[in-house]
């Protein structure tokens, strides 16, 4: 595996490679990330991964400095997966001058849910992903469905800018107890780690309630959301949102859409102690 830090060197190595499959990451790799590498291999060759902790997507009081960095261990894992190139730029490599040009997603998608609680997050994500796409110029790029809203925003960005890259969604990978794999799971204490799978269990209960309701009304969905928030608060969590939305645009479904059985997704973000976890479940 070649480890490359400079954009010009990356382009030299990839010149003439028009079927590259790309997996951007922030490192601290786990089985979820590695599953993305395996999926990428089905959509292109060579497989290129990146590790870059992107300061632009962190708010002023978020965990940029504390975000786990395990570069040497990450290299070993990527080598075992047969990744051809690891692009690991420094901030000076990727942002040699202040990144004044930014990609700002539409407010009706970028300022809701995660965007409401992490202002500027998706602007930072879109900006770095567009720049990484420019560096790698992949034929396909793989993103996990665990970050459901991020996947949708990046897919829309690729469509609107007519980027020649296919956005491939990858299923969420979970531990045996249901907890979605995440680099931030390492922040959990031993007691919190035992409690953490309850978030997914609550999403499953919400899913079951929706199915049992059959053609649920908007009010029924609101009641399901409220009951879930009360349940998770009672367990000591601090929920940001537990929301039932349309899969295709993350807006609240209208009565007509509910009558037509529009596909739904449940999205959640909540703090357990000092650790903020997100998850989702399609209905």
């Amino acid at each position: 595996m070649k480890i490359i830090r400079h954009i010009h060197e990356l382009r030299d190595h990839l010149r003439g490679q028009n079927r590259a499959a790309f997996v951007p990451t922030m490192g601290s790799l786990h089985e979820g990330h590695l599953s993305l590498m395996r999926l990428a291999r089905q959509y292109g060759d060579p497989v290129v991964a990146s590790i870059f902790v992107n300061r632009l997507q962190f708010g002023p009081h978020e965990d940029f400095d504390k975000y786990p960095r395990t570069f040497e261990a990450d290299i070993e894992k990527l080598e075992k997966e047969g990744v051809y190139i690891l692009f690991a730029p420094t901030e000076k490599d990727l942002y040699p001058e202040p990144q004044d040009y930014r990609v700002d997603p539409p407010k009706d998608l970028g300022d809701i849910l995660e965007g409401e609680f992490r202002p500027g997050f998706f602007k930072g994500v879109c900006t770095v992903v567009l720049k990484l796409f420019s560096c790698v110029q992949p034929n396909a790029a793989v993103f996990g469905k665990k970050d459901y809203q991020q996947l949708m925003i990046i897919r829309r960005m690729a469509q609107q800018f007519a980027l020649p890259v296919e956005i491939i969604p990858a299923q969420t990978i979970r531990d045996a107890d249901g907890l979605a794999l995440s680099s931030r799971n390492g922040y959990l204490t031993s007691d919190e780690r035992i409690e953490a799978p309850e978030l997914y269990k609550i999403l499953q209960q919400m899913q079951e309630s929706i199915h049992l309701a059959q053609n649920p009304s908007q009010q029924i969905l609101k009641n399901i959301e409220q009951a879930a928030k009360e349940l998770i608060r009672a367990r000591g969590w601090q929920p940001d949102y537990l929301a039932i939305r349309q899969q295709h645009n993350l807006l609240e479904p209208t009565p007509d859409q509910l009558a037509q059985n529009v596909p739904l997704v449940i999205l959640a973000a909540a703090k357990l102690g000092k650790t903020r976890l997100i998850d989702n479940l399609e209905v």
Side-chain angles (χ1 to χ4, degrees), residues 195 230-239 271-273:
E195 169 65 22
E230 291 173 1
L231 178 58
I232 203 166
R233 282 195 189 101
R235 300 192 64 91
W237 295 63
Q238 298 172 285
K271 273 189 177 179
L272 179 58

Side-chain angles (χ1 to χ4, degrees), residues 54-119:
N54 177 42
R55 188 185 297 271
L56 297 185
Q57 68 195 65
F58 287 80
H61 304 296
E62 294 186 333
D63 58 347
F64 174 79
D65 291 324
K66 295 180 180 179
Y67 192 85
R69 292 161 170 85
T70 57
F71 191 67
E72 295 304 320
D74 292 345
I75 290 173
E76 290 184 19
K77 292 174 182 176
L78 293 175
E79 285 180 333
K80 289 179 181 177
E81 293 300 329
V83 170
Y84 175 62
I85 287 177
L86 169 59
F87 181 45
T90 66
E91 284 192 283
K92 186 172 287 188
D93 292 319
L94 200 61
Y95 301 132
E97 58 186 64
Q99 189 68 35
D100 297 325
Y101 285 80
R102 307 286 180 97
V103 181
D104 198 359
K107 295 185 183 302
D108 63 350
L109 183 57
D111 288 357
I112 62 174
L113 302 169
E114 281 296 282
E116 177 183 350
F117 289 92
R118 300 183 67 187

Side-chain angles (χ1 to χ4, degrees), residues 172-243:
T172 301
I173 304 299
R174 301 181 181 276
D175 273 337
D177 57 9
L179 178 64
L181 298 189
S182 169
S183 300
R184 289 189 170 94
N185 291 352
Y187 296 160
L188 298 167
T189 67
S190 56
D191 287 343
E192 289 168 351
R193 178 59 187 83
I194 294 170
E195 169 65 22
E198 293 299 322
L199 178 61
Y200 184 54
K201 291 179 182 177
I202 288 173
L203 296 187
Q204 290 176 308
Q205 292 170 18
M206 295 174 72
Q207 181 191 55
E208 183 179 2
S209 296
I210 294 169
H211 287 154
L212 290 174
Q214 298 179 349
N215 300 319
S217 65
Q218 285 180 312
Q219 187 58 52
I220 288 174
L221 296 185
K222 290 291 185 187
N223 292 344
I224 292 172
E225 290 175 349
Q226 187 59 36
K229 289 176 186 175
E230 291 173 1
L231 178 58
I232 203 166
R233 282 195 189 101
R235 300 192 64 91
W237 295 63
Q238 298 172 285
D240 283 344
Y241 57 84
L242 285 101

